[in-house]
Amino acid sequence: MAKKKTTEEMSFLDHLEELRWHLIRSTLAILIIGSAAFAFSKIIFDKIIFAPTRMDFPTYKFFCSIATYFGFDSDFCAESLPFTIQSRTMAGQFSADIWTSVWAGFIIAFPYVLYEIWKFISPGLYEKERKNSRGFIIIASFLFFLGVLFGYYVVAPLSINFLGTYSISDVVTNEFDIGSYISTLRASVIACGIIFELPIIIYFLTKIGLVTPAILKKYRKIALVVVLILSAIITPPDVASQIVVAIPIIFLYQISIYISGYVLRKEAKREAKLKKKAASK
């Protein structure tokens, strides 16, 4: 059996071939899990996808209890949301079922996709770097799922409640297409999952020298404004909801500054050791 080429011996086309197989395995994992999700699609839609359309959703009950405690009237305490979901095309429900299953497959298979990405990039790292990055898949997966849960239980219901109750006139009734509803939910969940990967992204950007703690601190105020603007866009127009969404993102940004500083200190120590060894020879 032929021995596998080392990273140094592999040509550009060999790298492309290696990447192709990692992508194929990742896609197969998503499709296999997506097929399983398709088999249980009725449960997924009734218990998960359409759960934020009912006022017994945990987020609505939580905000309703806060409003009640302070004696405020709130849309979160309504008996039902004033909108209906409909399918206006022949293949609307089937298409929604297929694509929801695919996205469910991506979310569930995310740790395996990361594993395939890690298998592709790890041969290019030093042995010590590979050892120090062993927890990459676990940490990145944890942050992604944390972001998904945040998007599902915080961002999505706030957006759905606000957009579902928004009205310019009693003449207009809210009848949302199933594709529009699912895209709103999906965007909230996937976007938050990716945003929560910020510390991991900063880690690798610092490793390759594109980001430093000084740069992150310099643009911290701008980042804060951007976060508040995004929070204002995806949440109802009240300060409390915007703060709820903004706090985790600001917290992640601050953690990213510490991570960037940690990486630079580790790199400085490694370079100092190399210089010391070179000087002693």
Side-chain angles (χ1 to χ4, degrees):
M1 187 175 178
K3 190 176 180 181
K4 189 176 179 180
K5 292 181 180 180
T6 63
T7 305
E8 291 78 9
E9 295 173 337
M10 291 175 69
S11 66
F12 177 71
L13 291 178
D14 289 330
H15 281 293
L16 284 181
E17 178 67 12
E18 189 75 14
L19 177 61
R20 185 172 76 90
W21 280 107
H22 287 301
L23 293 175
I24 288 173
R25 286 192 290 268
S26 298
T27 304
L28 284 174
I30 292 171
L31 292 178
I32 289 170
I33 297 175
S35 299
F38 184 78
F40 295 95
S41 61
K42 185 168 179 58
I43 297 173
I44 291 173
F45 274 92
D46 289 342
K47 302 294 184 182
I48 300 175
I49 303 297
F50 294 134
T53 65
R54 298 186 290 270
M55 294 309 297
D56 61 350
F57 194 69
T59 306
Y60 302 146
K61 293 168 72 175
F62 173 75
F63 280 103
C64 177
S65 64
I66 292 177
T68 303
Y69 178 80
F70 288 103
F72 298 140
D73 292 329
S74 174
D75 289 334
F76 294 112
C77 297
E79 292 183 3
S80 62
L81 288 169
F83 68 83
T84 58
I85 298 174
Q86 60 182 350
S87 177
R88 296 180 297 169
T89 59
M90 287 290 291
Q93 294 194 58
F94 179 71
S95 177
D97 201 355
I98 292 292
W99 283 108
T100 298
S101 298
V102 171
W103 282 106
F106 170 76
I107 292 171
I108 298 171
F110 187 77
Y112 181 77
V113 174
L114 280 181
Y115 171 72
E116 289 294 340
I117 294 172
W118 178 247
K119 281 183 67 178
F120 177 71
I121 65 174
S122 60
L125 301 176
Y126 293 108
E127 181 63 29
K128 191 171 182 181
E129 289 176 329
R130 284 198 291 269
K131 288 180 180 179
N132 293 335
S133 304
R134 280 176 181 171
F136 161 73
I137 296 172
I138 296 173
I139 296 171
S141 298
F142 172 76
L143 289 173
F144 178 77
F145 288 130
L146 192 64
V148 166
L149 290 174
F150 181 78
Y152 179 72
Y153 282 105
V154 179
V155 178
L158 290 177
S159 300
I160 291 168
N161 184 277
F162 170 64
L163 296 173
T165 56
Y166 190 85
S167 176
I168 56 174
S169 172
D170 292 337
V171 175
V172 183
T173 58
N174 285 332
E175 297 177 349
F176 303 133
D177 187 72
I178 186 172
S180 176
Y181 172 80
I182 292 176
S183 66
T184 300
L185 181 66
R186 181 180 63 238
S188 300
V189 169
I190 299 297
C192 286
I194 294 172
I195 288 172
F196 272 57
E197 294 293 326
L198 182 62
I200 302 294
I201 295 170
I202 293 298
Y203 174 85
F204 283 106
L205 289 178
T206 304
K207 290 286 288 184
I208 61 178
L210 292 178
V211 170
T212 65
I215 292 174
L216 293 174
K217 289 177 181 177
K218 180 180 178 181
Y219 293 103
R220 179 160 44 193
K221 291 181 180 179
I222 297 175
L224 177 60
V225 173
V226 171
V227 167
L228 291 175
I229 292 173
L230 288 174
S231 301
I233 293 172
I234 65 178
T235 61
D238 64 87
V239 177
S241 299
Q242 292 170 20
I243 291 174
V244 167
V245 173
I247 285 176
I249 302 175
I250 295 171
F251 180 69
L252 287 170
Y253 190 88
Q254 189 62 40
I255 288 178
S256 299
I257 294 175
Y258 291 127
I259 289 174
S260 180
Y262 170 78
V263 172
L264 287 184
R265 287 194 296 272
K266 293 285 287 186
E267 287 293 318
K269 286 181 181 179
R270 188 174 69 84
E271 289 178 7
K273 285 182 179 179
L274 291 173
K275 288 181 180 179
K276 194 174 181 180
K277 283 183 180 179
S280 62
K281 288 182 180 179

